[in-house]
């Protein structure tokens, strides 16, 4: 069985939780969010890179965005094994499109006070934009007939492989966008719910994203000579637009102060406990294990029409369960990081398999892949320690006051 991934290059609430309901898009009011930038004078240890008065300096302020800029393509293509880690120079070509898209989505969501529902829906819109309009691998017939698996799910009326389409949408929403954002935000938990860039920085990122996307489009078109039909491109643009509209409609921010069972803002009434119908959030490691098992089954499912149905059911069930978990007052930053870690573990294992399937499993590539996996693990462990210190779970750690 081949790995099921698209064939492209591709009790008391924790006061430090910056987004108590990541799966629903409902967060605390920006000015009252204990996980946001505490503001001038509230940081007893400004540290290097901070201006006097507690305001972060420019380098420290944009560092998370730069990290996300590089991490998104590293996870989406290199950790997956679509691009061998020995060809790291390709990061210069992929980062403007992948990293630029991830930054634009993250900054837009945080500026508008929305949450993880919006991030993942915009991630799906990004995936369709990339696969349908930029590199157009969604419609290019060449990779569809390289194996019987893609051909088995080919839909002639649409000119696409149903299996690849599902892989593009889920792969980009989860691994290209969601996982890198969750990991980098966990490294800076005090600034996880606030923008990292100003208007100028966001404008520059948008220009870099457009130029990078045009470069990828031009390179692939010159190499393959393929261009999707006008109806295909128009339909893709319409669906991308609808996904964006739905993302902001369903992720509309609402004040949580005083809402029953919600860890409220300072001075907000705690309210009665949550209804029993809501699932209790498991321990972070249990959430991460559940995500790992689900995502591993998703990428390993049969590449046929039954596999598509299985994938849709898995994604729907996981979405419902995580949303209900996220409404529990015990759900927090540690759970989001653990969930991202479970997805990272899936790609870490899958990367070695794809190198072998692509017949590029040389000693150099396998060693480089091993170093990439170890680097990812080190980054995850650093983020976990940062989250624990921010929540006061580590003795002597700095807790963020509510």
């Amino acid at each position: 069985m081949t790995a099921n991934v698209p064939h492209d290059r591709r009790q008391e609430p924790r006061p430090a939780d910056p987004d108590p309901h990541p799966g629903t898009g409902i967060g605390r009011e920006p000015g009252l969010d204990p996980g946001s930038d505490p503001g001038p004078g509230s940081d007893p240890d400004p540290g290097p890179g901070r201006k006097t008065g507690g305001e972060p300096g420019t380098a420290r302020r944009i560092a998370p965005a730069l990290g996300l800029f590089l991490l998104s393509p590293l996870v989406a293509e290199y950790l997956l094994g679509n691009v061998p880690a020995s060809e790291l120079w390709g990061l210069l070509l992929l980062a403007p499109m992948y990293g630029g898209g991830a930054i634009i989505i993250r900054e837009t969501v945080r500026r508008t006070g929305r949450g993880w529902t919006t991030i993942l829906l915009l991630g799906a819109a990004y995936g369709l934009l990339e696969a349908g309009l930029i590199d157009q691998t969604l419609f290019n017939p060449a990779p569809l007939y390289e194996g019987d698996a893609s051909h088995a799910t080919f839909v002639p009326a649409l000119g696409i492989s149903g299996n690849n389409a599902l892989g593009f949408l889920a792969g980009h929403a989860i691994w290209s966008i969601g996982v890198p954002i969750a990991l980098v935000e966990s490294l800076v938990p005090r600034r996880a719910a606030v923008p990292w860039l100003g208007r100028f920085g966001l404008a520059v990122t948008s220009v870099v994203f457009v130029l990078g996307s045009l470069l990828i489009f031009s390179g692939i078109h010159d190499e393959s000579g393929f261009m999707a039909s006008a109806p295909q491109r128009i339909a893709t643009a319409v669906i991308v637009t609808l996904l964006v509209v739905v993302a902001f409609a369903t992720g509309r921010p609402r004040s949580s102060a005083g809402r029953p069972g919600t860890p409220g803002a300072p001075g907000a009434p705690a309210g009665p406990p949550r209804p029993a119908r809501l699932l209790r959030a498991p321990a972070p490691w249990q959430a991460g294990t559940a995500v790992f098992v689900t995502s591993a089954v998703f990428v390993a499912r049969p590449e046929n029409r039954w596999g598509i149905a299985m994938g849709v059911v898995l994604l729907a069930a996981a979405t419902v369960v995580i949303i209900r978990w996220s409404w529990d007052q015990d759900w927090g930053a540690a759970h989001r990081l653990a969930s991202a870690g479970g997805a990272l573990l899936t790609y870490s294992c899958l990367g070695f398999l794809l190198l072998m399937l692509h017949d590029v499993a040389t000693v150099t590539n396998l060693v480089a892949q091993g170093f990439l996996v170890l680097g990812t693990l080190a980054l995850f462990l650093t983020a976990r320690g940062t989250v624990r210190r921010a929540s006061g779970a580590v003795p002597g750690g700095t807790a963020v006051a509510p």
Side-chain angles (χ1 to χ4, degrees), residues 22-99:
T24 60
I26 301 172
R28 299 185 178 95
E29 295 176 295
L32 300 177
D33 183 6
S36 63
D37 193 359
S42 61
D43 189 351
D45 181 17
R50 276 191 181 270
K51 299 177 181 179
T52 56
E55 289 294 334
T58 301
R60 181 166 180 170
R61 189 172 63 249
I62 67 174
L66 293 176
L68 180 58
F69 185 75
L70 297 175
L71 186 62
S72 177
L74 279 172
V75 172
E77 297 292 351
Y78 290 89
L79 189 64
L80 173 61
N82 268 339
V83 180
S86 60
E87 299 180 8
L88 202 58
W89 58 267
L91 198 64
L92 297 176
L93 300 177
L94 296 174
M97 180 179 66
Y98 277 102

Side-chain angles (χ1 to χ4, degrees), residues 361-383:
T362 63
V363 173
T364 300
N365 286 339
L366 290 175
V367 171
Q369 188 72 15
F371 277 111
L372 180 60
V373 170
L374 290 176
T376 303
L377 175 62
L379 195 63
F380 172 80
L381 293 177
T382 300

Side-chain angles (χ1 to χ4, degrees), residues 67-352:
L68 180 58
F69 185 75
L70 297 175
L71 186 62
S72 177
L74 279 172
V75 172
E77 297 292 351
Y78 290 89
L79 189 64
L80 173 61
N82 268 339
V83 180
S86 60
E87 299 180 8
L88 202 58
W89 58 267
L91 198 64
L92 297 176
L93 300 177
L94 296 174
M97 180 179 66
Y98 277 102
I103 292 174
I104 291 171
I105 289 173
R106 192 266 168 197
E107 290 297 292
T108 301
V109 169
R110 295 314 181 198
R111 282 173 175 272
T112 56
R114 287 163 168 83
W116 278 94
T117 299
T118 305
I119 288 177
L120 294 176
L121 284 172
L122 290 179
Y126 167 86
L128 188 57
L129 175 67
E130 179 186 324
L133 296 179
I134 299 176
D135 61 37
Q136 301 194 6
T137 49
L138 180 62
F139 302 113
N140 192 339
L144 295 180
Y145 295 96
E146 291 178 354
D148 292 336
S150 293
H151 182 267
T153 61
F154 184 66
V155 183
L158 302 177
I160 64 174
S161 161
N163 182 71
N164 282 0
L166 181 61
F168 286 133
L169 288 174
H172 286 304
I174 297 171
W175 284 279
S176 301
I177 303 299
V179 168
I181 290 176
L183 186 54
V184 176
E185 286 191 343
S186 297
L187 290 168
V188 287
R190 295 174 67 89
R191 301 179 57 215
V194 298
W196 295 333
L197 300 177
R199 292 182 180 178
F200 178 75
L202 187 56
V204 170
T205 303
S206 299
V207 171
V208 170
F209 170 72
V210 171
L211 294 178
S213 299
L214 289 175
L215 180 63
I216 295 294
F217 168 81
S218 176
I220 293 181
H221 180 263
D222 291 345
E223 179 181 350
S224 66
F226 174 79
M227 177 67 72
S229 67
Q232 288 174 327
R233 285 177 282 147
I234 293 173
T236 299
V238 170
I239 297 175
V240 168
T241 302
L242 289 176
L243 282 172
V244 172
V245 171
V246 172
F248 285 99
T250 59
R252 187 178 300 113
R254 288 179 286 171
S255 172
S256 62
R259 193 155 51 83
T262 302
R274 290 191 170 280
R277 61 184 177 84
L278 296 176
L279 294 179
R280 287 294 304 271
W285 72 267
Q286 293 173 322
T289 301
V291 170
F292 167 66
V293 172
T294 303
S295 59
V297 173
F298 178 83
V299 300
R301 73 190 192 281
E303 295 185 337
N304 53 34
R305 298 183 187 277
W306 286 108
I308 294 177
M310 181 188 300
V312 171
V313 171
L314 282 172
L315 291 174
T319 299
V320 171
V321 170
I322 291 177
I323 286 177
R324 295 185 68 181
W325 278 348
S326 71
W327 275 90
D328 187 351
Q329 63 184 10
D330 288 333
W331 181 273
H335 293 83
R336 289 191 290 275
L337 176 61
S339 299
L344 280 172
L345 182 57
T346 296
Y347 261 27
S348 296
C349 298
L350 187 59
F352 292 99

